[in-house]
Amino acid sequence: MDFKQFLLVLRRRWRSVVAVFVVALVIAGAISYLITPKYESTSRTIVSVNAGTAGEASQATYFLQNRVTSYADLAKSTELASRVIKVLDLDMTAEELSDEISTEVVESTSVIAITVQDEDPHQAQTIADVVTTEFKSYAEEIETIGEGRESQIALNVIDQPEYNGSPVEPNTLLNLIAGGLIGLLLGVGLAVARELLDRTVRTADHIAEVTDAPVLASIGFDNEIRSAPLLTDLGAFAARTEAFRLLRTNLQFIDIDQRARVLVVTSAVPGEGKTMTSTNLAVALAQTGRTVLVIDADLRRPRVASTLGVDPAIGLTTALVGKAEIEDAIQVHEPSGLHVLASGAKPPNPTEILQSRVTHDLIRRLRQSYDMIIIDAPPLLPVADASVLSTLADGSILVVRHGQTTRDQITEAVNRLTQVGGRLYGVVVNMVAKRAIGSYYYYYYEETSPVRDGGSAKSRRATPTKGKGSRKAIAPPKAAKDTPPDDDNGSHKAPPA
């Protein structure tokens, strides 16, 4: 991970970093609040040795430099603490009092600073005063050799213990700074760890890791998707409309030598927006003047009819079992002119029906009657239906959901298509957050015919229209004679059967 990727991770995971940082500050503040305040009082004592000559003074200096640290340790001894407890009649053990006493030798001197901490500032001063007095007596007593002789050293108090009403513990500011730094480091570490462990699709590089198929388009997340699911409900220059125009344009350059006429739109798992993608792609294609048919081949959980507002009772299964002619089963979505073949009644054996000879013959027949057929197929991983349908189509489009579909799921979905000889044209990333739109790049050329590309001037109005359809007996248009000219490459000739 280079520095640029690291910055992108922080930008993507900034909420985690901020959350951990705030939690660390709260914990540091709570600890500071719960800690009992402590006060301290400090005295300073100088250790000296009587020296009559310069030579003796030099020896005394050397003596003190080697012994002054021992005197500092002596001030924290349990023996001295016991004496202080006896004098003040304190309700604590010698070990407890010794833990509250700290000493420090002032650098390059023989001065010892003795500090006592206590929960009461007056008590701290009192204890420090007695500790200093007893320390002086105790040290001189130890350095007195032989009975009746004088001590070899002298301890003089140069600073008496003073009253200090400001607590030294807790240091709230220092605790908050330390907590904030720790929280920041933990937050960044958590963000990096989540990024490394996260297998969901978030950039085009993630898709490139598992498939060579290009990213055809990214569809941004739209809060109005439920109230305005179709392009006919949006304005001509809405972000979602432009995204599907880009997808439509990119499809024209996938295979220039053999123009695709039948496309399967599927996903790895449910909930990735494949039906919304297939229906809007079909609407975008129909708006260019092509004759387009969308088939709801998800016989388990059909959604196309409800999305387009057509009758779901008659459709693919109705025609396959012979209860209606295919011309009677096809309906029209009036706002876009899109032809719709709903799923019809739910069968008990969807996979067997889709791989039957009757279904193959029907798709072959419809191929000759339409410029483009979009088949909305079930997800690849739960069932085999989409794999079966991919063998009937020229290619497939895999819809993945930004931040939810994992790279492992994409890998398995691509393998399912490859195993049956299906061709993956590309990937459409759905529900992309606005800040992540730039994470995906496209393989496309600029559209050169915006007026024809968006349909007539009437169909390009920004006024939303409801996606209601009607069911009536219609004959599929004939391929050769009635096929309108293609908006990008002139006339469009139907391939031979």
Side-chain angles (χ1 to χ4, degrees):
M1 180 182 296
D2 57 24
F3 184 70
K4 182 179 179 180
Q5 291 175 325
F6 177 72
L7 294 180
L8 290 175
V9 170
L10 293 184
R11 180 185 177 189
R12 189 158 48 242
R13 307 282 186 179
W14 67 270
R15 289 183 178 86
S16 298
V17 177
V18 172
V20 175
F21 177 75
V22 171
V23 169
L25 287 180
V26 171
I27 293 175
I31 292 175
S32 299
Y33 178 78
L34 294 175
I35 291 178
T36 302
K38 284 193 174 184
Y39 304 84
E40 67 179 26
S41 181
T42 302
S43 65
R44 290 156 62 90
T45 301
I46 187 170
V47 183
S48 58
V49 177
N50 293 327
T53 65
E56 291 178 349
S58 176
Q59 293 179 0
T61 301
Y62 178 78
F63 172 80
L64 288 177
Q65 288 176 349
N66 287 276
R67 298 291 295 273
V68 70
T69 303
S70 299
Y71 297 140
D73 292 336
L74 184 65
K76 299 187 295 182
S77 65
T78 55
E79 174 63 25
L80 181 62
S82 298
R83 294 188 178 194
V84 175
I85 291 173
K86 185 176 181 180
V87 172
L88 296 176
D89 193 21
L90 299 176
D91 186 16
M92 62 175 62
T93 64
E95 289 77 9
E96 291 174 343
L97 178 58
S98 178
D99 291 337
E100 292 186 352
I101 301 173
S102 61
T103 59
E104 179 184 6
V105 177
V106 179
E107 186 177 0
S108 301
T109 69
S110 59
V111 176
I112 301 174
I114 302 175
T115 302
V116 176
Q117 288 189 352
D118 196 84
E119 297 175 4
D120 184 349
H122 294 285
Q123 182 79 343
Q125 182 185 20
T126 301
I127 294 176
D129 184 54
V130 175
V131 167
T132 303
T133 302
E134 293 298 320
F135 169 61
K136 180 177 180 300
S137 301
Y138 187 38
E140 292 177 350
E141 177 184 327
I142 290 176
E143 291 296 342
T144 300
I145 301 175
E147 187 175 349
R149 299 187 61 180
E150 293 184 358
S151 174
Q152 299 181 63
I153 63 169
L155 279 76
N156 298 298
V157 179
I158 55 178
D159 288 321
Q160 294 289 340
E162 295 182 354
Y163 173 81
N164 185 3
S166 301
V168 294
E169 289 185 9
N171 190 332
T172 304
L173 179 59
L174 181 61
N175 291 345
L176 289 176
I177 294 175
L181 291 176
I182 294 173
L184 188 62
L185 292 175
L186 291 177
V188 172
L190 177 62
V192 173
R194 287 184 61 191
E195 183 70 18
L196 295 176
L197 296 175
D198 186 6
R199 296 288 297 169
T200 60
V201 172
R202 294 187 178 275
T203 66
D205 292 336
H206 293 164
I207 296 176
E209 290 177 11
V210 295
T211 178
D212 294 330
V215 176
L216 297 174
S218 64
I219 314 300
F221 180 80
D222 191 349
N223 292 322
E224 299 179 357
I225 189 71
R226 294 186 181 276
S227 59
L230 298 175
L231 299 187
T232 51
D233 302 325
L234 302 173
F237 301 102
R240 186 151 39 104
T241 303
E242 294 294 340
F244 278 101
R245 285 176 181 163
L246 175 62
L247 173 58
R248 177 186 65 201
T249 304
N250 287 343
L251 286 175
Q252 297 172 1
F253 296 95
I254 291 296
D255 192 343
I256 299 179
D257 294 331
Q258 183 177 356
R259 182 67 60 86
R261 298 173 69 90
V262 181
L263 288 178
V264 169
V265 178
T266 183
S267 61
V269 292
E272 296 180 313
K274 65 172 184 62
T275 299
M276 205 64 62
T277 302
S278 59
T279 53
N280 279 305
L281 173 59
V283 169
L285 290 167
Q287 288 177 340
T288 65
R290 294 183 180 92
T291 53
V292 183
L293 173 67
V294 59
I295 302 176
D296 191 350
D298 191 346
L299 304 182
R300 303 169 191 270
R301 297 179 60 186
R303 294 288 185 272
V304 171
S306 59
T307 302
L308 292 171
V310 299
D311 187 0
I314 184 171
L316 179 61
T317 57
T318 311
L320 291 176
V321 299
K323 289 186 177 181
E325 293 296 327
I326 186 62
E327 292 82 0
D328 299 328
I330 295 177
Q331 306 173 61
V332 176
H333 178 249
E334 294 181 350
S336 63
L338 173 67
H339 289 196
V340 184
L341 182 59
S343 63
K346 291 184 180 181
N349 54 343
T351 305
E352 288 75 9
I353 288 179
L354 293 175
Q355 66 185 4
S356 66
R357 174 66 61 182
V358 178
T359 303
H360 286 228
D361 293 340
L362 177 61
I363 298 298
R364 187 179 299 110
R365 175 186 171 189
L366 292 173
R367 176 192 287 268
Q368 303 307 314
S369 303
Y370 286 94
D371 294 331
M372 182 68 74
I373 298 175
I374 305 296
I375 302 177
D376 180 45
L380 282 160
L381 300 188
V383 294
D385 299 8
S387 300
V388 172
L389 290 168
S390 67
T391 62
L392 308 179
D394 299 316
S396 302
I397 296 176
L398 183 65
V399 179
V400 302
R401 183 171 178 176
H402 170 82
Q404 180 167 314
T405 308
T406 66
R407 280 164 268 182
D408 298 330
Q409 290 171 337
I410 297 177
T411 300
E412 182 61 26
V414 173
N415 290 339
R416 295 281 179 93
L417 290 174
T418 305
Q419 289 170 359
V420 297
R423 181 182 179 186
L424 179 61
Y425 275 164
V427 177
V428 174
V429 187
N430 198 21
M431 303 185 196
V432 182
K434 290 182 179 180
R435 65 178 182 276
I437 288 290
S439 299
Y440 301 93
Y441 52 88
Y442 314 104
Y443 299 85
Y444 69 95
Y445 293 91
E446 187 68 25
E447 293 181 288
T448 58
S449 183
V451 176
R452 291 291 303 277
D453 201 35
S456 63
K458 182 178 180 180
S459 66
R460 291 172 63 89
R461 291 181 300 178
T463 304
T465 57
K466 294 295 181 182
K468 296 182 179 179
S470 62
R471 179 169 63 86
K472 57 183 179 181
I474 59 172
K478 295 180 181 179
K481 184 177 181 180
D482 299 331
T483 300
D486 186 82
D487 63 330
D488 287 300
N489 294 318
S491 61
H492 176 76
K493 295 182 180 181

